[in-house]
Amino acid sequence: MTWKIVVDSGCDLKALTQNVPHLHFERVPLTLQVGNSVYVDDYGLDIEDMMNSMYANDLPTKSSCPSPDAFLNAYRGYDKIIVITITSNLSGSYNSASLAKNLYLEERPDTQIHIIDSLSAGGEMDLLAMKLENLIAEGLIFEEVVEKIKAYQEKTKLIFVLAKVDNLVKNGRLSKLVGKVVGLLNIRMVGQASSEGTLELLQKARGQKKAVKATYEEMLKSGYKGGKVFIGNQKNEKICQQLEELIKPLFPNAEIIRQDLSGLCSFYAEKEGILMGYEI
């Protein structure tokens, strides 16, 4: 029996960390349109080039979800498949994955497939994928893995910090005035993925140092007690270090992982932004 974890590129992971027999991993890419240029968010994407193009272009930018065929191709040849998608409130990826599931079950009705709407992105998706790998490594049956990952998802959260909001302004989600204020006053937007899978603003902080303090306060407020932290960041190692310096004194055993953001997550978080998942 062969297992496969399938994610879309709302997940930052490029590979699994353990060598679990009969377990495979694949990231199905979304596409990103910047002006007249289209970028595929696969492992070959030059994210820095895409970001520079994005900031040099005044036209609205957008992302497109993978097709059902892209997911179907990822499923083929496997018996036990678990899929994690970016929140269905931001993308049609979950719907594409679900349609592909129905098509694949027509071909191979004995296959076991479960699809998880992460209601999130970035660091929280990364935590879910890593937990799945651990559960499968334990030798659990499919139904047990599904039950345990559902319970685990109830104990993970996503918090984000944005230093730039150009995309939000260009796409009409923030006014140009707010965008200028954020830039001129060095404002950081601190928010979270809500339980409905929408992005929810929690605080506005002036400067990175205050944003880090606000982020840590929000973590504690939501019930953080020293669980694993996954910091997906867009070229901002300093904020990762600052967060670790706040977390470690009270929670010295906390496991903190840093990872460059995928193209899609960079597209949303923008330069110096983070999408951080953590366990509560």
Side-chain angles (χ1 to χ4, degrees):
M1 289 292 190
T2 54
W3 285 84
K4 192 168 192 181
I5 298 172
V6 177
V7 299
D8 62 31
S9 57
C11 179
D12 305 305
L13 294 178
K14 295 184 177 180
L16 299 176
T17 58
Q18 304 178 44
N19 187 22
V20 181
H22 312 299
L23 172 61
H24 299 263
F25 176 84
E26 184 169 345
R27 195 174 80 177
V28 180
L30 281 85
T31 55
L32 308 165
Q33 184 171 345
V34 180
N36 296 319
S37 300
V38 176
Y39 298 87
V40 179
D41 190 16
D42 57 17
Y43 300 143
L45 174 63
D46 185 335
I47 296 175
E48 186 171 357
D49 176 68
M50 181 202 73
M51 298 290 286
N52 289 337
S53 176
M54 187 173 75
Y55 289 125
N57 199 306
D58 292 329
L59 295 173
T61 56
K62 60 183 180 180
S63 61
S64 299
C65 68
S67 68
D69 277 347
F71 279 106
L72 189 59
N73 289 334
Y75 300 166
R76 286 205 167 103
Y78 296 88
D79 306 299
K80 301 175 186 294
I81 304 162
I82 299 185
V83 188
I84 310 170
T85 72
I86 190 172
T87 174
S88 57
N89 271 292
L90 289 180
S91 170
S93 189
Y94 177 81
N95 290 335
S96 287
S98 299
L99 181 54
K101 170 185 173 179
N102 295 336
L103 293 170
Y104 193 54
L105 288 175
E106 289 179 7
E107 297 177 11
R108 291 186 54 177
D110 57 333
T111 305
Q112 293 176 290
I113 307 178
H114 178 68
I115 302 175
I116 300 168
D117 181 350
S118 72
L119 300 174
S120 191
E124 189 170 4
M125 288 182 68
D126 302 323
L127 287 178
L128 291 172
M130 293 173 70
K131 182 65 173 180
L132 274 177
E133 182 182 14
N134 291 335
L135 293 172
I136 293 168
E138 290 176 21
L140 302 176
I141 64 172
F142 189 84
E143 292 81 4
E144 290 174 326
V145 172
V146 170
E147 179 184 355
K148 289 183 179 293
I149 197 65
K150 284 180 178 178
Y152 180 74
Q153 188 176 6
E154 295 294 319
K155 297 184 179 296
T156 59
K157 291 185 72 68
L158 177 84
I159 195 163
F160 60 85
V161 180
L162 307 182
K164 294 178 71 67
V165 292
D166 295 45
N167 259 345
L168 294 175
V169 172
K170 283 190 281 188
N171 289 304
R173 298 193 180 193
L174 277 180
S175 71
K176 290 183 179 180
L177 177 60
V178 171
K180 286 182 178 179
V181 168
V182 168
L184 290 173
L185 299 183
N186 196 22
I187 300 294
R188 300 292 194 272
M189 314 286 271
V190 180
Q192 66 178 0
S194 71
S195 57
E196 294 80 29
T198 58
L199 299 182
E200 176 180 77
L201 182 62
L202 297 171
Q203 295 192 41
K204 297 176 185 177
R206 190 164 186 178
Q208 184 163 286
K209 188 174 181 180
K210 289 182 179 178
V212 168
K213 183 174 182 291
T215 300
Y216 185 55
E217 288 172 354
E218 294 294 342
M219 290 173 68
L220 295 176
K221 194 185 301 182
S222 67
Y224 180 72
K225 297 180 178 66
K228 186 180 295 183
V229 177
F230 196 109
I231 311 174
N233 70 98
Q234 220 301 314
K235 305 294 183 185
N236 195 345
E237 277 294 311
K238 185 174 181 180
I239 197 172
C240 298
Q241 183 63 38
Q242 289 172 323
L243 282 164
E244 189 163 344
E245 288 171 357
L246 276 184
I247 293 168
K248 283 291 189 178
L250 191 57
F251 305 107
N253 296 321
E255 182 181 358
I256 301 174
I257 303 164
R258 305 178 188 184
Q259 171 79 41
D260 291 339
L261 289 174
S262 68
L264 179 70
C265 291
S266 296
F267 183 82
Y268 283 118
E270 300 195 45
K271 285 186 177 179
E272 299 186 4
I274 65 168
L275 295 174
M276 181 177 72
Y278 61 99
E279 299 172 343
I280 57 173

